[in-house]
Amino acid sequence: MSDAILDHPRQPMPAIRGLFRRQTPVVGLRAVHLDFKGCAPTPGRLISLLDLFAAARFNAVLVEWEDKFPWRVDPRFRSPEHYSEQEVDAFHQRAAALGLEIIPLVQTLGHMETVLSVPDYHALREVPDRADGLNPLADGAAALIQRMIDDVIDRTPGLRHFHVGGDEAWTFGTHPQTRAYVERHGGAALFLHFIEPILDRLIQQGIRPLIWHDMIARWEPAYLNRLTRKADVVIWGYHGTPTDDPQQHYNTRVIERLHAQGARLWAGTAYKGPDAFTCDLPDPAQRRPNAVGWLEIAQRLKLKGVIATGWSRNNTHAPQKAPIDAALDALIESGVILHDGAPPARGREACLELLDALGERQRFEQCHAAMRALHEARRLAWIYAQWLQEQLALNRLACRDSGAGMGLRHWRHFCRYLEEAEAAGQQMRQAFAGLLSPASIEEYLAVRLEPLRHQHALMAQQME
């Protein structure tokens, strides 16, 4: 398997002052992540985003297909808005033309909601009432995962890497069957019993597996060596920078221990998604230092690659957040950091100029403004809802008629910001038309606005 890296996409890139000052990138493999659990781009937008990724000097795309893939193994894994086989093929063809390596991601233990929510697969759950964790010893579990991986391989030309997930398997070892195995052999042995045949089959096809680090970080050296001979390890952490804090799952001791074991390491930063459960925009104050911190580690330990993740939900059953088209400035800045080792000298303005050169700026600014307005109106509406409830509680406890005026003032502010949130919702519908499906937009807005509408109805009764 060749490790040649395509660092120069096959089309002229706009030259923007202050961007991409280095001739040679500081990190060889620089991947951007597409998380299709939510806010999935429309088919046309999916293709055009690849041009933007190439312009931001990424040279790989980590694709977490989830229910948007045209699954043949079981069509029930497809959402109503899944991409067709022809659309997936067109995506791969455009990526190849731009020199972008595609790295598919198929979950194998945790984050299994797409599969385990289908009734016929409930028997494969580690815990009966939870769809996130797969029982690795259940009859048919390993065979199903292998068929899913084969399904994606068959549709993806020129594969060099394949990500098998493996993170946040919160229920791992809790089923009576797996608990007994762990008691006899240990958790690492159970993990390897399940994952090694999957890794071996990928290797036999000339494909190098990737796996997230969090479930293996504290394994004994013998088990680590078995795994790291067969898979690259992606150490992820999205808040702050790696430190010696033992409570941090990506602390420097974990990183250096994995490095000392000879593991081929990648890092996982984030350009959007981890800032809050229902964040509407990335927080530059969080995203920028996180990426820079990982670049220091990447250069010092000569990591193989860095992935700029872009999470659209915390998990398949969580609310959507931070649509990609409102985060293009953060995406480009991540690309610059991974390429140059530092943020752009002229900051966000240089990123906006690149979007302008690509014909993307006006639409991005509309999307960003809609998300900014929605975020701010929601934030203020909830503040005034809380203040009103607390004022009404005081009025009841102290029988203070004089507090009614204060309560009325809070009520009026709440109503004002609810109206602004509704207006921002309409702004979002217009800005994202053609970029996201109408169903995705309406789900996004329902999650943001329905709780406020419900709060309005409750408080209206109290104000009578």
Side-chain angles (χ1 to χ4, degrees), residues 375-428:
H375 166 78
E376 191 65 10
R378 288 172 56 229
R379 184 183 71 83
L380 291 170
W382 282 117
I383 287 173
Y384 280 104
Q386 178 183 343
W387 289 357
L388 175 57
Q389 292 293 354
E390 292 168 350
Q391 182 66 51
L392 293 175
L394 176 62
N395 293 353
R396 289 191 298 271
L397 289 170
C399 301
R400 294 183 178 178
D401 291 338
S402 59
M406 182 68 73
L408 184 60
R409 193 179 316 159
H410 294 332
W411 167 247
R412 287 171 176 163
H413 281 300
F414 172 80
C415 292
R416 168 192 166 190
Y417 289 117
L418 174 56
E419 289 179 3
E420 290 188 7
E422 297 281 8
Q426 186 56 32
Q427 191 178 349
M428 180 186 179

Short mmCIF file of all heavy atoms in Angstrom, two decimals, residues 375-428:
data_model
loop_
_atom_site.label_atom_id
_atom_site.label_comp_id
_atom_site.label_asym_id
_atom_site.label_seq_id
_atom_site.Cartn_x
_atom_site.Cartn_y
_atom_site.Cartn_z
N HIS A 375 -29.24 31.76 17.55
CA HIS A 375 -28.55 31.51 18.81
C HIS A 375 -28.82 32.62 19.82
O HIS A 375 -29.15 32.36 20.99
CB HIS A 375 -27.04 31.39 18.56
CG HIS A 375 -26.22 31.46 19.81
ND1 HIS A 375 -26.09 30.39 20.67
CD2 HIS A 375 -25.52 32.49 20.37
CE1 HIS A 375 -25.33 30.75 21.70
NE2 HIS A 375 -24.97 32.01 21.53
N GLU A 376 -28.66 33.87 19.39
CA GLU A 376 -28.78 34.98 20.32
C GLU A 376 -30.21 35.14 20.81
O GLU A 376 -30.45 35.40 22.00
CB GLU A 376 -28.27 36.26 19.66
CG GLU A 376 -28.10 37.44 20.60
CD GLU A 376 -27.01 37.20 21.66
OE1 GLU A 376 -26.27 36.20 21.55
OE2 GLU A 376 -26.93 38.02 22.59
N ALA A 377 -31.18 35.01 19.92
CA ALA A 377 -32.58 35.14 20.34
C ALA A 377 -32.97 34.03 21.30
O ALA A 377 -33.66 34.28 22.31
CB ALA A 377 -33.49 35.12 19.11
N ARG A 378 -32.54 32.82 21.04
CA ARG A 378 -32.84 31.70 21.95
C ARG A 378 -32.19 31.94 23.31
O ARG A 378 -32.80 31.73 24.37
CB ARG A 378 -32.32 30.39 21.38
CG ARG A 378 -33.09 29.85 20.20
CD ARG A 378 -32.36 28.66 19.59
NE ARG A 378 -32.11 27.61 20.57
CZ ARG A 378 -30.93 27.02 20.76
NH1 ARG A 378 -29.88 27.39 20.03
NH2 ARG A 378 -30.78 26.07 21.65
N ARG A 379 -30.94 32.38 23.30
CA ARG A 379 -30.23 32.60 24.55
C ARG A 379 -30.94 33.63 25.42
O ARG A 379 -31.17 33.41 26.62
CB ARG A 379 -28.80 33.07 24.25
CG ARG A 379 -27.91 33.25 25.48
CD ARG A 379 -26.55 33.79 25.09
NE ARG A 379 -26.60 35.18 24.65
CZ ARG A 379 -26.61 36.23 25.48
NH1 ARG A 379 -26.56 36.06 26.79
NH2 ARG A 379 -26.65 37.46 24.99
N LEU A 380 -31.34 34.74 24.81
CA LEU A 380 -31.99 35.79 25.59
C LEU A 380 -33.40 35.40 26.00
O LEU A 380 -33.85 35.73 27.11
CB LEU A 380 -32.00 37.08 24.77
CG LEU A 380 -30.61 37.72 24.56
CD1 LEU A 380 -30.69 38.84 23.54
CD2 LEU A 380 -30.05 38.22 25.88
N ALA A 381 -34.12 34.69 25.15
CA ALA A 381 -35.47 34.25 25.52
C ALA A 381 -35.41 33.35 26.75
O ALA A 381 -36.23 33.49 27.68
CB ALA A 381 -36.12 33.51 24.35
N TRP A 382 -34.46 32.43 26.80
CA TRP A 382 -34.37 31.53 27.97
C TRP A 382 -33.94 32.28 29.22
O TRP A 382 -34.39 31.96 30.33
CB TRP A 382 -33.42 30.38 27.68
CG TRP A 382 -34.04 29.31 26.83
CD1 TRP A 382 -33.66 28.92 25.59
CD2 TRP A 382 -35.18 28.49 27.17
NE1 TRP A 382 -34.48 27.92 25.12
CE2 TRP A 382 -35.41 27.63 26.07
CE3 TRP A 382 -36.01 28.41 28.28
CZ2 TRP A 382 -36.45 26.71 26.05
CZ3 TRP A 382 -37.05 27.49 28.28
CH2 TRP A 382 -37.26 26.65 27.17
N ILE A 383 -33.10 33.30 29.07
CA ILE A 383 -32.72 34.11 30.23
C ILE A 383 -33.96 34.79 30.82
O ILE A 383 -34.21 34.74 32.04
CB ILE A 383 -31.67 35.15 29.84
CG1 ILE A 383 -30.31 34.47 29.61
CG2 ILE A 383 -31.54 36.23 30.92
CD1 ILE A 383 -29.24 35.38 29.07
N TYR A 384 -34.77 35.41 29.96
CA TYR A 384 -35.94 36.12 30.48
C TYR A 384 -37.02 35.16 30.97
O TYR A 384 -37.76 35.47 31.90
CB TYR A 384 -36.49 37.08 29.42
CG TYR A 384 -35.68 38.36 29.36
CD1 TYR A 384 -34.78 38.60 28.34
CD2 TYR A 384 -35.81 39.31 30.37
CE1 TYR A 384 -34.02 39.75 28.30
CE2 TYR A 384 -35.06 40.48 30.35
CZ TYR A 384 -34.16 40.69 29.32
OH TYR A 384 -33.41 41.84 29.30
N ALA A 385 -37.09 33.97 30.38
CA ALA A 385 -38.02 32.97 30.91
C ALA A 385 -37.63 32.58 32.33
O ALA A 385 -38.49 32.45 33.22
CB ALA A 385 -38.03 31.74 30.00
N GLN A 386 -36.34 32.39 32.56
CA GLN A 386 -35.89 32.05 33.92
C GLN A 386 -36.15 33.20 34.88
O GLN A 386 -36.65 32.98 35.99
CB GLN A 386 -34.39 31.72 33.89
CG GLN A 386 -33.82 31.40 35.26
CD GLN A 386 -32.33 31.15 35.22
OE1 GLN A 386 -31.76 30.91 34.17
NE2 GLN A 386 -31.69 31.21 36.37
N TRP A 387 -35.80 34.41 34.47
CA TRP A 387 -36.02 35.55 35.35
C TRP A 387 -37.50 35.71 35.70
O TRP A 387 -37.86 36.03 36.84
CB TRP A 387 -35.50 36.82 34.70
CG TRP A 387 -34.00 36.89 34.64
CD1 TRP A 387 -33.11 36.00 35.15
CD2 TRP A 387 -33.23 37.91 34.01
NE1 TRP A 387 -31.82 36.38 34.89
CE2 TRP A 387 -31.85 37.56 34.19
CE3 TRP A 387 -33.53 39.08 33.32
CZ2 TRP A 387 -30.82 38.36 33.71
CZ3 TRP A 387 -32.50 39.86 32.83
CH2 TRP A 387 -31.15 39.50 33.02
N LEU A 388 -38.36 35.51 34.70
CA LEU A 388 -39.79 35.66 34.95
C LEU A 388 -40.27 34.61 35.95
O LEU A 388 -41.01 34.92 36.89
CB LEU A 388 -40.57 35.53 33.64
CG LEU A 388 -42.10 35.54 33.78
CD1 LEU A 388 -42.59 36.81 34.48
CD2 LEU A 388 -42.76 35.39 32.41
N GLN A 389 -39.85 33.37 35.77
CA GLN A 389 -40.28 32.32 36.69
C GLN A 389 -39.80 32.60 38.11
O GLN A 389 -40.53 32.37 39.09
CB GLN A 389 -39.75 30.95 36.22
CG GLN A 389 -40.37 30.46 34.93
CD GLN A 389 -41.85 30.12 35.08
OE1 GLN A 389 -42.41 30.15 36.17
NE2 GLN A 389 -42.49 29.81 33.97
N GLU A 390 -38.58 33.09 38.23
CA GLU A 390 -38.06 33.40 39.57
C GLU A 390 -38.79 34.59 40.17
O GLU A 390 -39.09 34.62 41.38
CB GLU A 390 -36.56 33.66 39.47
CG GLU A 390 -35.77 32.40 39.12
CD GLU A 390 -34.33 32.65 38.73
OE1 GLU A 390 -33.96 33.83 38.54
OE2 GLU A 390 -33.59 31.66 38.59
N GLN A 391 -39.13 35.59 39.37
CA GLN A 391 -39.88 36.74 39.87
C GLN A 391 -41.28 36.32 40.32
O GLN A 391 -41.76 36.74 41.38
CB GLN A 391 -39.99 37.82 38.79
CG GLN A 391 -40.73 39.09 39.24
CD GLN A 391 -39.97 39.82 40.33
OE1 GLN A 391 -38.78 40.09 40.19
NE2 GLN A 391 -40.65 40.16 41.43
N LEU A 392 -41.93 35.48 39.52
CA LEU A 392 -43.27 35.02 39.88
C LEU A 392 -43.23 34.19 41.16
O LEU A 392 -44.15 34.27 42.00
CB LEU A 392 -43.87 34.21 38.74
CG LEU A 392 -44.20 35.00 37.46
CD1 LEU A 392 -44.69 34.05 36.36
CD2 LEU A 392 -45.23 36.09 37.73
N ALA A 393 -42.17 33.38 41.33
CA ALA A 393 -42.04 32.60 42.57
C ALA A 393 -41.90 33.53 43.77
O ALA A 393 -42.51 33.29 44.83
CB ALA A 393 -40.83 31.67 42.47
N LEU A 394 -41.09 34.59 43.63
CA LEU A 394 -40.94 35.55 44.72
C LEU A 394 -42.26 36.24 45.03
O LEU A 394 -42.64 36.42 46.19
CB LEU A 394 -39.87 36.58 44.35
CG LEU A 394 -39.67 37.72 45.37
CD1 LEU A 394 -39.19 37.17 46.70
CD2 LEU A 394 -38.67 38.74 44.83
N ASN A 395 -42.99 36.63 43.98
CA ASN A 395 -44.27 37.30 44.20
C ASN A 395 -45.23 36.42 44.97
O ASN A 395 -45.96 36.89 45.86
CB ASN A 395 -44.89 37.68 42.85
CG ASN A 395 -44.09 38.77 42.13
OD1 ASN A 395 -43.14 39.33 42.68
ND2 ASN A 395 -44.45 39.03 40.88
N ARG A 396 -45.25 35.11 44.64
CA ARG A 396 -46.15 34.20 45.34
C ARG A 396 -45.74 34.01 46.80
O ARG A 396 -46.57 34.00 47.70
CB ARG A 396 -46.18 32.85 44.62
CG ARG A 396 -46.90 32.86 43.28
CD ARG A 396 -47.14 31.44 42.77
NE ARG A 396 -45.90 30.73 42.53
CZ ARG A 396 -45.24 30.76 41.37
NH1 ARG A 396 -45.70 31.48 40.36
NH2 ARG A 396 -44.12 30.07 41.23
N LEU A 397 -44.43 33.85 47.02
CA LEU A 397 -43.95 33.59 48.37
C LEU A 397 -44.13 34.79 49.28
O LEU A 397 -44.50 34.65 50.46
CB LEU A 397 -42.46 33.20 48.32
CG LEU A 397 -42.15 31.83 47.73
CD1 LEU A 397 -40.65 31.69 47.51
CD2 LEU A 397 -42.66 30.73 48.65
N ALA A 398 -43.87 35.98 48.77
CA ALA A 398 -43.90 37.19 49.59
C ALA A 398 -45.18 37.99 49.42
O ALA A 398 -45.32 39.05 50.04
CB ALA A 398 -42.70 38.06 49.25
N CYS A 399 -46.10 37.48 48.56
CA CYS A 399 -47.35 38.20 48.28
C CYS A 399 -47.09 39.64 47.89
O CYS A 399 -47.69 40.58 48.42
CB CYS A 399 -48.29 38.14 49.50
SG CYS A 399 -48.73 36.47 49.99
N ARG A 400 -46.16 39.83 47.00
CA ARG A 400 -45.74 41.19 46.63
C ARG A 400 -46.42 41.61 45.34
O ARG A 400 -45.98 41.26 44.24
CB ARG A 400 -44.22 41.25 46.45
CG ARG A 400 -43.46 41.03 47.74
CD ARG A 400 -41.97 41.18 47.53
NE ARG A 400 -41.23 41.01 48.77
CZ ARG A 400 -39.91 41.04 48.86
NH1 ARG A 400 -39.18 41.25 47.78
NH2 ARG A 400 -39.31 40.88 50.02
N ASP A 401 -47.46 42.37 45.43
CA ASP A 401 -48.10 42.89 44.24
C ASP A 401 -47.16 43.84 43.49
O ASP A 401 -47.25 44.00 42.28
CB ASP A 401 -49.39 43.64 44.59
CG ASP A 401 -50.46 42.68 45.08
OD1 ASP A 401 -50.37 41.48 44.75
OD2 ASP A 401 -51.37 43.12 45.80
N SER A 402 -46.25 44.45 44.25
CA SER A 402 -45.34 45.41 43.60
C SER A 402 -44.37 44.74 42.64
O SER A 402 -43.76 45.40 41.81
CB SER A 402 -44.54 46.17 44.67
OG SER A 402 -43.79 45.26 45.46
N GLY A 403 -44.24 43.40 42.75
CA GLY A 403 -43.36 42.69 41.83
C GLY A 403 -44.00 42.39 40.49
O GLY A 403 -43.33 41.89 39.58
N ALA A 404 -45.30 42.69 40.36
CA ALA A 404 -45.99 42.36 39.12
C ALA A 404 -45.41 43.13 37.94
O ALA A 404 -45.31 42.60 36.83
CB ALA A 404 -47.48 42.65 39.25
N GLY A 405 -45.01 44.39 38.19
CA GLY A 405 -44.45 45.18 37.10
C GLY A 405 -43.16 44.60 36.58
O GLY A 405 -42.91 44.56 35.37
N MET A 406 -42.32 44.11 37.50
CA MET A 406 -41.07 43.48 37.08
C MET A 406 -41.36 42.22 36.26
O MET A 406 -40.74 41.97 35.24
CB MET A 406 -40.24 43.13 38.31
CG MET A 406 -38.89 42.51 37.98
SD MET A 406 -37.76 43.66 37.17
CE MET A 406 -37.35 44.71 38.59
N GLY A 407 -42.32 41.43 36.73
CA GLY A 407 -42.68 40.22 36.00
C GLY A 407 -43.19 40.53 34.60
O GLY A 407 -42.85 39.84 33.64
N LEU A 408 -44.01 41.57 34.50
CA LEU A 408 -44.54 41.95 33.19
C LEU A 408 -43.43 42.39 32.25
O LEU A 408 -43.45 42.07 31.06
CB LEU A 408 -45.56 43.08 33.36
CG LEU A 408 -46.28 43.53 32.09
CD1 LEU A 408 -47.06 42.38 31.47
CD2 LEU A 408 -47.22 44.70 32.40
N ARG A 409 -42.44 43.07 32.79
CA ARG A 409 -41.31 43.49 31.97
C ARG A 409 -40.55 42.27 31.43
O ARG A 409 -40.20 42.21 30.25
CB ARG A 409 -40.37 44.37 32.80
CG ARG A 409 -39.34 45.13 31.98
CD ARG A 409 -38.47 46.00 32.87
NE ARG A 409 -39.26 46.72 33.86
CZ ARG A 409 -38.75 47.21 34.99
NH1 ARG A 409 -37.48 47.06 35.27
NH2 ARG A 409 -39.53 47.86 35.84
N HIS A 410 -40.29 41.29 32.30
CA HIS A 410 -39.61 40.08 31.85
C HIS A 410 -40.45 39.35 30.79
O HIS A 410 -39.90 38.81 29.82
CB HIS A 410 -39.36 39.14 33.03
CG HIS A 410 -38.39 39.67 34.05
ND1 HIS A 410 -37.39 40.56 33.75
CD2 HIS A 410 -38.28 39.42 35.39
CE1 HIS A 410 -36.69 40.84 34.83
NE2 HIS A 410 -37.22 40.16 35.85
N TRP A 411 -41.75 39.32 30.99
CA TRP A 411 -42.65 38.65 30.04
C TRP A 411 -42.57 39.30 28.67
O TRP A 411 -42.48 38.62 27.65
CB TRP A 411 -44.07 38.68 30.58
CG TRP A 411 -45.15 38.32 29.61
CD1 TRP A 411 -46.11 39.15 29.10
CD2 TRP A 411 -45.39 37.03 29.02
NE1 TRP A 411 -46.94 38.48 28.25
CE2 TRP A 411 -46.52 37.17 28.18
CE3 TRP A 411 -44.78 35.80 29.13
CZ2 TRP A 411 -47.03 36.11 27.45
CZ3 TRP A 411 -45.30 34.74 28.40
CH2 TRP A 411 -46.40 34.89 27.58
N ARG A 412 -42.56 40.61 28.64
CA ARG A 412 -42.50 41.32 27.36
C ARG A 412 -41.18 41.05 26.64
O ARG A 412 -41.14 40.86 25.41
CB ARG A 412 -42.69 42.81 27.58
CG ARG A 412 -44.13 43.20 27.94
CD ARG A 412 -44.23 44.65 28.36
NE ARG A 412 -45.61 45.05 28.62
CZ ARG A 412 -45.96 46.13 29.29
NH1 ARG A 412 -45.01 46.94 29.77
NH2 ARG A 412 -47.24 46.42 29.49
N HIS A 413 -40.07 41.03 27.41
CA HIS A 413 -38.78 40.72 26.80
C HIS A 413 -38.77 39.30 26.26
O HIS A 413 -38.24 39.05 25.16
CB HIS A 413 -37.65 40.91 27.82
CG HIS A 413 -37.26 42.34 28.03
ND1 HIS A 413 -36.79 43.14 27.02
CD2 HIS A 413 -37.27 43.12 29.15
CE1 HIS A 413 -36.51 44.34 27.49
NE2 HIS A 413 -36.79 44.36 28.78
N PHE A 414 -39.33 38.36 27.03
CA PHE A 414 -39.38 36.98 26.56
C PHE A 414 -40.14 36.90 25.23
O PHE A 414 -39.68 36.25 24.27
CB PHE A 414 -40.04 36.07 27.60
CG PHE A 414 -40.29 34.69 27.08
CD1 PHE A 414 -39.28 33.74 27.03
CD2 PHE A 414 -41.55 34.33 26.61
CE1 PHE A 414 -39.51 32.47 26.54
CE2 PHE A 414 -41.80 33.06 26.11
CZ PHE A 414 -40.77 32.13 26.07
N CYS A 415 -41.30 37.53 25.17
CA CYS A 415 -42.11 37.50 23.95
C CYS A 415 -41.35 38.12 22.78
O CYS A 415 -41.41 37.61 21.64
CB CYS A 415 -43.43 38.22 24.17
SG CYS A 415 -44.55 37.38 25.31
N ARG A 416 -40.64 39.19 23.07
CA ARG A 416 -39.87 39.85 22.00
C ARG A 416 -38.82 38.89 21.43
O ARG A 416 -38.68 38.76 20.20
CB ARG A 416 -39.20 41.10 22.57
CG ARG A 416 -38.16 41.72 21.64
CD ARG A 416 -37.33 42.75 22.38
NE ARG A 416 -36.14 43.11 21.64
CZ ARG A 416 -35.14 43.85 22.13
NH1 ARG A 416 -35.21 44.29 23.37
NH2 ARG A 416 -34.09 44.13 21.40
N TYR A 417 -38.09 38.22 22.31
CA TYR A 417 -37.01 37.35 21.81
C TYR A 417 -37.54 36.07 21.21
O TYR A 417 -36.90 35.50 20.30
CB TYR A 417 -36.00 37.09 22.93
CG TYR A 417 -35.20 38.33 23.25
CD1 TYR A 417 -35.26 38.93 24.50
CD2 TYR A 417 -34.40 38.92 22.27
CE1 TYR A 417 -34.54 40.09 24.78
CE2 TYR A 417 -33.68 40.08 22.54
CZ TYR A 417 -33.75 40.66 23.80
OH TYR A 417 -33.05 41.81 24.05
N LEU A 418 -38.70 35.62 21.65
CA LEU A 418 -39.33 34.49 20.96
C LEU A 418 -39.69 34.89 19.54
O LEU A 418 -39.47 34.12 18.59
CB LEU A 418 -40.57 34.01 21.72
CG LEU A 418 -41.38 32.92 21.03
CD1 LEU A 418 -40.53 31.69 20.72
CD2 LEU A 418 -42.59 32.54 21.88
N GLU A 419 -40.23 36.08 19.36
CA GLU A 419 -40.54 36.56 18.02
C GLU A 419 -39.27 36.65 17.17
O GLU A 419 -39.27 36.30 15.98
CB GLU A 419 -41.21 37.93 18.09
CG GLU A 419 -42.64 37.91 18.64
CD GLU A 419 -43.24 39.30 18.72
OE1 GLU A 419 -42.55 40.27 18.30
OE2 GLU A 419 -44.38 39.42 19.22
N GLU A 420 -38.18 37.12 17.78
CA GLU A 420 -36.92 37.21 17.03
C GLU A 420 -36.40 35.81 16.66
O GLU A 420 -35.83 35.63 15.58
CB GLU A 420 -35.88 37.98 17.85
CG GLU A 420 -36.20 39.46 17.98
CD GLU A 420 -35.07 40.24 18.62
OE1 GLU A 420 -33.97 39.66 18.84
OE2 GLU A 420 -35.27 41.45 18.89
N ALA A 421 -36.58 34.85 17.55
CA ALA A 421 -36.17 33.48 17.24
C ALA A 421 -36.99 32.91 16.09
O ALA A 421 -36.46 32.22 15.20
CB ALA A 421 -36.30 32.60 18.48
N GLU A 422 -38.30 33.19 16.08
CA GLU A 422 -39.15 32.74 14.98
C GLU A 422 -38.70 33.38 13.66
O GLU A 422 -38.65 32.71 12.61
CB GLU A 422 -40.61 33.07 15.26
CG GLU A 422 -41.21 32.38 16.48
CD GLU A 422 -41.61 30.94 16.23
OE1 GLU A 422 -41.29 30.40 15.14
OE2 GLU A 422 -42.22 30.34 17.13
N ALA A 423 -38.35 34.66 13.72
CA ALA A 423 -37.89 35.35 12.52
C ALA A 423 -36.55 34.77 12.05
O ALA A 423 -36.31 34.60 10.84
CB ALA A 423 -37.74 36.85 12.79
N ALA A 424 -35.69 34.43 13.00
CA ALA A 424 -34.41 33.81 12.64
C ALA A 424 -34.64 32.44 12.00
O ALA A 424 -33.89 32.03 11.11
CB ALA A 424 -33.52 33.68 13.87
N GLY A 425 -35.69 31.74 12.46
CA GLY A 425 -36.02 30.46 11.84
C GLY A 425 -36.37 30.62 10.37
O GLY A 425 -35.95 29.83 9.52
N GLN A 426 -37.14 31.65 10.07
CA GLN A 426 -37.48 31.91 8.67
C GLN A 426 -36.24 32.31 7.88
O GLN A 426 -36.06 31.90 6.72
CB GLN A 426 -38.53 33.01 8.59
CG GLN A 426 -39.06 33.27 7.20
CD GLN A 426 -39.65 32.02 6.54
OE1 GLN A 426 -40.20 31.16 7.20
NE2 GLN A 426 -39.51 31.93 5.22
N GLN A 427 -35.37 33.06 8.53
CA GLN A 427 -34.10 33.44 7.91
C GLN A 427 -33.27 32.19 7.59
O GLN A 427 -32.64 32.10 6.52
CB GLN A 427 -33.33 34.36 8.88
CG GLN A 427 -32.12 35.05 8.32
CD GLN A 427 -31.49 35.98 9.37
OE1 GLN A 427 -32.07 36.25 10.42
NE2 GLN A 427 -30.29 36.44 9.08
N MET A 428 -33.29 31.23 8.50
CA MET A 428 -32.55 29.98 8.26
C MET A 428 -33.13 29.22 7.08
O MET A 428 -32.39 28.69 6.25
CB MET A 428 -32.58 29.10 9.52
CG MET A 428 -31.83 27.79 9.33
SD MET A 428 -31.99 26.65 10.73
CE MET A 428 -31.03 25.25 10.11
#
